[in-house]
Amino acid sequence: ISSLQYPLARRDDSVVDDYHGIRIADPYRWLENPDSDEVKEFVEKQADLTESLLQKCETREDLRQKITEMFDHPRYDTPFKKGDRYFYFHNTGLQAQNVLYVQDGLEGKAEVLLDPNGLSEDGTVALNKVSVSENAELLAYELSSSGSDWVTIKVMKIVDKTNEPETLSWVKFSTFSWTHDSKGFFYSRYPAPREGEQLDAGTETNINLNQELYYHFLGTDQSQDILCWRDPENPKHLFEAQVTDDGKYVLLYVEEGCDPVNKLYYCDLSELPHGLEGFRERNDMLPFIKLVDNFEARYLAISNDESHFTFLTNKDAPKYKITRVDLKQPAIWTDVLPEAEKDVLKSAYAVNQNQLLVSYLRDVKYILQIRDLNTGLLLHQLPIDIGTVYGISGKRKDSEVFIGFTSFLTPGIIYRCNLATEVPEMKIFREIVVAGFDRTEFQINQVFVSSKDGTQIPMFIVSKKNIVLDGSHPSLLYGYGGFNVSLTPFFSVNRIVLARHLGVVVCIANIRGGGEYGEEWHKAGSLSKKQNCFDDFISAAEYLVSAGYTQARKLCIEGGSNGGLLVAACLNQRPELFGCALAHVGVMDMLRYHKFTIGHAWSSDFGCSDKEEEFHWLIKYSPLHNVSRPWERFGGEQSQYPSIMLLTADHDDRVVPLHSLKLLATMQYVFCTSVENTPQTNPIIARIARKAGHGAGKPTQKMIDEAADRYSFMAKMLGISWMN
Ligand SMILES: O=C(NCC(=O)N1CCC[C@H]1C(=O)O)OCc1ccccc1
């Protein structure tokens, strides 16, 4: 690729901010307004430049075709039961969106209950969460458009699939929970971002504040909903309501950001003199009682027997534990299952009368156990392979539990576990089979890499069997490193295609900031320690070179969102270590991220530039503010940045596109358009998708096209060609 002609982007040198006495220029501030013609023109020119380059990436069509072929296999999610009905999502293979099925009993004929593919001709309307009423007659469901976080809620009668008339709008970051009389449900919503004026929801960057909890009475207009809770003094707070399995209480979880901590309030619905109806005329809120009124720990209700509640918590237990309290004696908490020595308690479900189905994470691999709900005693170890347990569904009144399992070489298995027998039996209920995938061709290694401070960082390495460690293998290193997110083994069609047809070694680094070893691991990669994430990721890259898997010019790093920040920060710090970088929907402007949509919630990991001490953390690694010419920094040996593709989308209202646009303009300017005969010949481009968002709800074809684009770019830049 001869060095590209980048479009010139205006620099407004009049924009300079003062952060606690330090002046920081922001010449591309104008890129923050998605509605301006100048920004639309910038986006169009960048998209054209990228398309022109992608046409020269020879493996693009092979990748598109191979990924399409391999992705065209039936997929199922774990079923859940309500009444005598089972519900599950299914995709025949290439459907744009998964389809919701219902069947009367496991032997009953399955039929389509809700097919979102019929709701838009380009598959950009997605079905998010669903919730079935206690009498299994009504389905409440969320629809999102073009990948935005905004959803609308509709209600369908299951028997005849007709919709109730009402639509609930301006819902975001909400769950919905039915009262057991099936008369309605709790949900959370925001004020409309802009009254009246036509808004393409999801393209705006307005900050999301003042979420409120409502109860919706079925068959009425949203304006009739009753306001159940709000907290105008704390506009950042988010509210989530959960009706307990016995229908007696509604629990209110209050969060102020992304840390695993929440307040826990409750309201005994059976004690409301006129039930929720009684609140239709008055406008005072529900009489919630504050069980936990601080943000010191996470409390997730597992089950209750009348006023005796069992919680999964990290209170004084960074690897989590199970504790119990009687609402009548709120000061007395009793541990049921104490924190484990090394393993992280990831989930706990009350099933089969008085049993607990718990999952632990041990060195990034799942363990599944049945324990006694009252004593916590171990009853059974459930046999599972190295991999990830996902989508557990079961109830106390049922002895059957469904468990989803996946791993690097297991596309997906759904087990049906019968707990009524003396020894529980895990029977394969559904198995996802990928035609043409032969697991014996591949091998998985888990290695532990020493980071800069000596911390051992786990990393999974997926490759074709018996490769020779001669440094010749193109490698893709993926990471995230934040928000208590754990990267556990999962199957990926893209990974298989890259390994088989491009000889790529695919690696996943479990760096600090994640949840792999509990809350201490998360905190070790947050706030003032965020640099640990970058050190860990850089150490992982250096290991892949020193161990002989690959070499810098054949190494590509990839990450999304907080992982996009990871990639961009590592590029700035060690440009000579990588040959290529793919940064999806990255958080790149660390000084201003909190001003847009839900960004303020991330200060739990990042801190905020409004505070002087935290500004000094952020300015040191903020991608947008640490771009500088390597040939001036390192002298001769390192002359340029790797090839870079930033990816974003016009309806990403989780991490708004301005982050990637400002970084793109900055890099193109600093390395290219401001330098005569620049050493920077590696392309720096952006793939800016239309009618797409942060990732959730993306239709199959858009996912495949994006994968073909980014990986054919990578192949071209690393100099690798297709192998049949
Ligand atoms: O912001 C997030 N999640 C974090 C998130 O999406 N992040 C965190 C950093 C950038 C981006 C990402 O990595 O995907 O979800 C919204 C939410 C819901 C409930 C309470 C608080 C916030």
Side-chain angles (χ1 to χ4, degrees), residues 173 238 255 257-258 480 483 561-562 587 598 601-602 654-655 694:
F173 313 133
L238 292 114
E255 295 180 318
C258 292
Y480 183 76
F483 300 91
S561 205
N562 171 70
V587 185
I598 195 60
W602 314 334
R654 184 68 66 84
V655 178
H694 196 58

Side-chain angles (χ1 to χ4, degrees), residues 80 86-91 97-102 111-117 127-132 139-141 156 158 161:
F80 63 89
Y86 286 88
F87 301 82
Y88 60 91
F89 280 94
H90 170 52
N91 192 310
Q97 300 291 343
N98 297 342
V99 178
L100 180 63
Y101 287 76
V102 61
E111 58 175 33
V112 171
L113 178 56
L114 180 53
D115 179 357
N117 295 298
L127 175 55
N128 293 9
K129 298 188 197 84
V130 299
S131 177
V132 176
L139 171 80
Y141 60 96
M156 174 196 280
I158 292 170
K161 302 188 185 60

Side-chain angles (χ1 to χ4, degrees), residues 291-347:
L291 178 67
V292 177
D293 199 20
N294 59 59
F295 290 116
E296 289 165 17
R298 163 74 85 220
Y299 293 88
L300 289 176
I302 295 171
S303 187
N304 67 293
D305 291 281
E306 288 298 314
S307 63
H308 298 267
F309 273 77
T310 305
F311 285 101
L312 173 63
T313 184
N314 56 22
K315 172 75 176 154
D316 308 322
K319 292 187 187 64
Y320 295 79
K321 68 178 180 181
I322 294 176
T323 187
R324 181 163 297 146
V325 69
D326 177 359
L327 301 183
K328 299 190 177 74
Q329 298 177 304
I332 304 168
W333 295 77
T334 314
D335 284 359
V336 172
L337 176 56
E339 180 185 36
E341 194 55 34
K342 217 173 157 285
D343 302 342
V344 183
L345 179 57
K346 276 291 178 190
S347 69

Side-chain angles (χ1 to χ4, degrees), residues 22 28 77 82 93 123 150 167 218 237 307 317 349 380 418 440 503 546 593 598 630:
I22 296 178
Y28 298 111
D77 271 347
K82 276 280 180 179
W150 288 115
T167 297
L218 200 60
H237 286 186
S307 63
Y349 294 83
H380 304 288
N418 174 5
T440 64
S546 62
Y593 78 85
I598 195 60

